[in-house]
Amino acid sequence: GLRATEPTLPPVAGTGKGRGKGSWKGRSPAPECDLLGCKDSPFAIDSLQTPFGLLRVFSVVIPFLYVGTQISKNFAALLEEHDIFVPEDDDDDD
């Protein structure tokens, strides 16, 4: 019968033996990183940071929290007005 052959992958650049340009001899396999970024990384951390990130977060979160509290207050007042939900002031601390 017919037998399926396993797919083969093309060779990866820089993995050959020798001391050519792609040799990892004498280099660490991972780039050196610190809190500010990586030295030899193709994806620099600095390019991923958003300017004014915290300011943007707070400028979105605070207004939506305020609008949410106003909606909740108005809905609670509506429920009390129609006697659907009336909170009772029972003190059970006696």
Side-chain angles (χ1 to χ4, degrees):
L2 295 174
R3 184 175 171 194
T5 60
E6 293 183 20
T8 57
L9 298 174
V12 178
T15 58
K17 296 180 181 177
R19 295 188 175 205
K21 187 176 181 182
S23 175
W24 284 94
K25 184 93 172 163
R27 291 182 62 190
S28 63
E32 295 180 23
C33 297
D34 57 5
L35 292 176
L36 298 177
C38 296
K39 292 181 181 178
D40 294 333
S41 175
F43 302 105
I45 293 176
D46 294 336
S47 66
L48 298 176
Q49 289 181 351
T50 305
F52 305 109
L54 283 178
L55 182 63
R56 287 182 182 182
V57 168
F58 287 127
S59 66
V60 170
V61 168
I62 290 174
F64 276 97
L65 281 176
Y66 179 74
V67 169
T69 56
Q70 294 302 316
I71 291 172
S72 298
K73 283 182 185 179
N74 290 337
F75 193 67
L78 179 74
L79 291 177
E80 284 186 45
E81 181 181 327
H82 293 284
D83 292 328
I84 298 172
F85 175 74
V86 179
E88 298 178 5
D89 292 333
D90 290 340
D91 290 332
D92 294 332
D93 298 332
D94 296 333

